Amino acid sequence: MATLYITVQKRIPKVSLRFVSTGVSVDIQTWNRANRDVTAWRKYVATKEGEAVMKRLELVTQTIDRLFADGRIGGNEDKVVIEKALHDISTAEAIKFKEEQKRRKKEQQAEREHSVLGFYDYFFKGIQDGSIRHSNGKQYTDSTIVVWKYFGIYLKEYCSRKVQFDDISKPFADKFSVYLEKKGLMAGTINKQVNCFRKLCNLAAEEGLNSNAVSLKVWKERTVKAADKRTEVYLTDRELDALYQMELSPERSKVRDVFFIGYLSGQRFSDYSDFSAENFKQVDGGVDVIGLTQKKTGNYVEVPIWDSRVTDIARRYRYIFPKMDSQKLNHDIKDILGELSASVPSLAEKYITVLSMPERRSEALYQSFLDRLKKGGRLNYNERREYVKMRRYADSHNGSPLYERNGRGQVIRPKYELVSSHTARRSSITNLYKSGLLDNREIMSISGHQSERVFENYIKVGTSEQAQRVGKKLMKAKEVKLRKAE
């Protein structure tokens, strides 16, 4: 960029001034191209930039003419007067331009915040940097931020930038659920996204950016039936004992040990994968505990060390536990339990379940490969590699065509394939419940659950197991009653 300078000449009074600064800046290359010939100049003046420069130069000319008319210029010594006047109008214009920019930015910000996507962007940024918090003043946890992040991905696919909160109606909300269903999401995940949309509308209303009362009432969660959910299993004491005693390589032992720490603490992977020596301490009464602030809820819990295997594992690693991500643990623990199923048959028992979205996509892809090959088509190198891997899995699992199904067409999977990093926590809660030693509130004090409804979802006791448990209690009560009668 460079400033344009002009020559000011007049006969009466006699004035001849060179290199007078106009205060107007131009792009050097653009200006030089524009001054090559008349055609180039006309094209330049017709542009938005050229038009703005010409308007400012016209204002320069008008200002100098006014100075002469007012008698403020009488000779060559008045160059300073001209440059000061031009500087003043340049400064005034700059201030006006900045104010206009500020006004437009403010209007755009207001417009963005009043739109659904605009408010989401504002809200998501706020929970990330901590400027927006829960009503109790607590910051949003990392896991909750991840939930909002994925909601944003679906929201931006479903909504355009123009959608306002006033546009939300019951058909709009219903279509959002249908859109998620077509994406292949499971019922529980759809409910999670719908719940986020409801919360977003409520938060916008609290900030005075959503006056559409309908938008607060139209979000309906679906009833999630057991048949719509992926089957959640737990490992029994016998299965866990066999896993603990299993001979494994050093690398696979780390996977088993991290999983066991999750089981013996009853915590989520985000917590038990991050334990250190600081979490292990002794409280009043000489009770050894694992103390932690749960990352998901922010609640502080102290878990009594009720099994010496926790201490054994901790000492084995000198309280510097192996670090691994949940994907590695999920993959490797299935392989380990699959191998163990040869000696512990219960791990190979088949359970009716549903496929996840990625699994449904894999099966559809595998079917497309089969159809293409049947018609005499070919697969490229990458497709061939994927096909061979899928075929190997299908053959070893009696797939139909990729995942095994029963006579009713329901997907069935061996128990060890349904185990994940979260199975450790579920197994802990279920086995403590089955022991009968603690009541629900006492177990919840360990797990950190605040809601009994959510807590009960973790207890995976089957109908027969529950009948046995209730039967034993009734028989025991009857025996006590008879003894008293005697």
Side-chain angles (χ1 to χ4, degrees):
M1 300 295 290
T3 302
L4 292 178
Y5 288 81
I6 59 172
T7 298
V8 179
Q9 291 181 320
K10 199 168 179 67
R11 289 184 181 179
I12 302 173
K14 186 172 179 57
V15 175
S16 182
L17 301 172
R18 299 180 67 193
F19 302 114
V20 177
S21 174
T22 63
V24 179
S25 293
V26 294
D27 180 86
I28 297 171
Q29 291 183 351
T30 305
W31 182 258
N32 288 340
R33 282 196 299 268
N35 281 278
R36 285 175 185 169
D37 52 47
V38 175
T39 304
W41 179 255
R42 284 176 179 167
K43 285 183 180 178
Y44 173 68
V45 172
T47 65
K48 191 174 181 180
E49 180 186 344
E51 185 183 1
V53 169
M54 289 308 296
K55 282 184 179 179
R56 294 194 68 190
L57 290 177
E58 284 173 12
L59 186 58
V60 167
T61 303
Q62 291 169 8
T63 301
I64 293 172
D65 287 344
R66 194 181 309 114
L67 291 174
F68 277 113
D70 293 345
R72 293 177 61 189
I73 302 176
N76 290 339
E77 70 278 0
D78 292 325
K79 179 181 178 182
V80 176
V81 175
I82 297 174
E83 288 190 334
K84 184 178 183 308
L86 297 182
H87 177 268
D88 288 345
I89 64 168
S90 179
T91 303
E93 279 204 336
I95 293 171
K96 184 180 177 182
F97 176 72
K98 284 182 180 179
E99 287 178 347
E100 180 65 17
Q101 271 192 323
K102 192 175 180 181
R103 183 186 65 78
R104 285 182 181 176
K105 189 176 179 182
K106 193 172 181 181
E107 286 179 354
Q108 288 171 352
Q109 178 70 12
E111 185 180 331
R112 281 198 301 270
E113 289 182 0
H114 277 79
S115 74
V116 173
L117 292 185
F119 182 75
Y120 168 79
D121 288 340
Y122 152 77
F123 169 74
F124 188 66
K125 183 182 176 183
I127 63 175
Q128 281 183 304
D129 63 26
S131 59
I132 293 178
R133 303 188 175 199
H134 289 290
S135 55
N136 60 6
K138 289 185 178 180
Q139 289 192 5
Y140 283 75
T141 61
D142 290 342
S143 58
T144 304
I145 290 172
V146 169
V147 171
W148 280 102
K149 175 186 174 182
Y150 282 103
F151 166 70
I153 293 171
Y154 296 121
L155 178 69
K156 289 174 181 179
E157 284 183 1
Y158 180 72
C159 285
S160 73
R161 279 276 163 195
K162 294 179 181 178
V163 174
Q164 305 284 315
F165 285 103
D166 287 343
D167 299 323
I168 295 176
S169 59
K170 189 176 186 305
F172 178 95
D174 291 342
K175 286 177 183 176
F176 180 65
S177 293
V178 172
Y179 152 76
L180 295 173
E181 190 175 329
K182 287 180 177 178
K183 293 285 289 183
L185 271 62
M186 299 174 79
T189 307
I190 291 174
N191 281 347
K192 191 176 288 187
Q193 306 309 315
V194 166
N195 196 33
C196 280
F197 217 143
R198 179 197 295 114
K199 287 181 180 178
L200 192 75
C201 292
N202 277 281
L203 290 163
E206 288 173 9
E207 297 209 16
L209 299 171
N210 175 18
S211 56
N212 178 12
V214 174
S215 71
L216 310 179
K217 302 175 182 177
V218 293
W219 305 103
K220 303 296 181 185
E221 292 186 12
R222 300 182 174 197
T223 301
V224 183
K225 298 177 182 177
D228 298 329
K229 290 167 55 177
R230 190 179 179 87
T231 297
E232 296 171 337
V233 298
Y234 78 97
L235 298 182
T236 64
D237 286 334
R238 180 173 175 273
E239 291 166 342
L240 287 159
D241 289 344
L243 174 62
Y244 190 75
Q245 294 162 12
M246 191 177 180
E247 291 290 333
L248 294 170
S249 67
E251 196 58 35
R252 297 178 93 197
S253 291
K254 291 176 183 177
V255 174
R256 185 261 315 278
D257 292 344
V258 170
F259 182 85
F260 244 86
I261 287 292
Y263 166 64
L264 297 171
S265 65
Q267 301 307 305
R268 300 175 183 87
F269 176 79
S270 58
D271 294 316
Y272 74 73
S273 63
D274 201 32
F275 282 167
S276 67
E278 294 176 358
N279 296 105
F280 292 78
K281 53 188 176 180
Q282 197 172 80
V283 294
D284 293 344
V287 178
D288 292 322
V289 301
I290 302 173
L292 70 145
T293 299
Q294 294 180 325
K295 292 181 180 178
K296 181 176 180 179
T297 64
N299 297 327
Y300 179 75
V301 297
E302 288 184 344
V303 182
I305 294 178
W306 47 272
D307 190 312
S308 62
R309 287 178 290 188
V310 177
T311 310
D312 293 342
I313 294 171
R315 287 174 179 166
R316 190 179 305 154
Y317 296 100
R318 297 181 182 179
Y319 292 90
I320 304 173
F321 299 101
K323 297 295 181 185
M324 63 187 68
D325 59 35
S326 59
Q327 279 187 319
K328 176 175 173 56
L329 180 58
N330 287 338
H331 178 273
D332 290 359
I333 197 66
K334 287 178 174 65
D335 280 352
I336 293 168
L337 291 171
E339 185 180 322
L340 184 61
S341 67
S343 57
V344 184
S346 60
L347 289 170
E349 287 178 9
K350 303 289 177 68
Y351 286 74
I352 296 172
T353 186
V354 296
L355 298 176
S356 65
M357 182 168 61
E359 288 168 341
R360 289 199 296 274
R361 286 176 179 167
S362 293
E363 191 166 63
L365 180 63
Y366 183 60
Q367 184 64 59
S368 71
F369 289 160
L370 292 175
D371 292 342
R372 197 190 309 175
L373 291 169
K374 190 175 181 181
K375 293 176 182 177
R378 293 186 176 184
L379 305 177
N380 63 36
Y381 176 73
N382 288 331
E383 288 174 333
R384 187 76 190 173
R385 288 183 63 187
E386 193 67 24
Y387 168 74
V388 169
K389 187 167 65 174
M390 289 176 168
R391 181 66 181 267
R392 192 178 295 124
Y393 176 87
D395 290 344
S396 64
H397 288 73
N398 303 311
S400 53
L402 184 58
Y403 297 102
E404 186 180 357
R405 285 172 168 78
N406 60 18
R408 297 180 180 179
Q410 298 166 308
V411 175
I412 52 175
R413 308 285 287 273
K415 182 177 182 177
Y416 64 81
E417 280 197 1
L418 299 172
V419 174
S420 69
S421 60
H422 204 63
T423 307
R425 175 170 165 84
R426 193 180 301 116
S427 301
S428 179
I429 293 170
T430 302
N431 286 326
L432 282 172
Y433 173 80
K434 281 174 60 180
S435 73
L437 297 173
L438 306 175
D439 61 32
N440 285 7
R441 282 292 164 188
E442 288 169 330
I443 301 173
M444 287 168 67
S445 72
I446 292 173
S447 67
H449 283 107
Q450 300 295 306
S451 162
E452 195 149 357
R453 181 179 65 83
V454 176
F455 165 77
E456 287 173 353
N457 285 334
Y458 273 79
I459 300 170
K460 297 302 170 185
V461 177
T463 305
S464 297
E465 285 181 301
Q466 188 70 301
Q468 289 175 19
R469 188 169 181 271
V470 172
K472 286 179 181 178
K473 281 191 172 184
L474 291 173
M475 289 295 290
K476 188 175 180 180
K478 189 175 181 181
E479 287 173 6
V480 170
K481 190 175 180 181
L482 288 170
R483 282 200 297 269
K484 283 183 178 178
E486 288 172 1

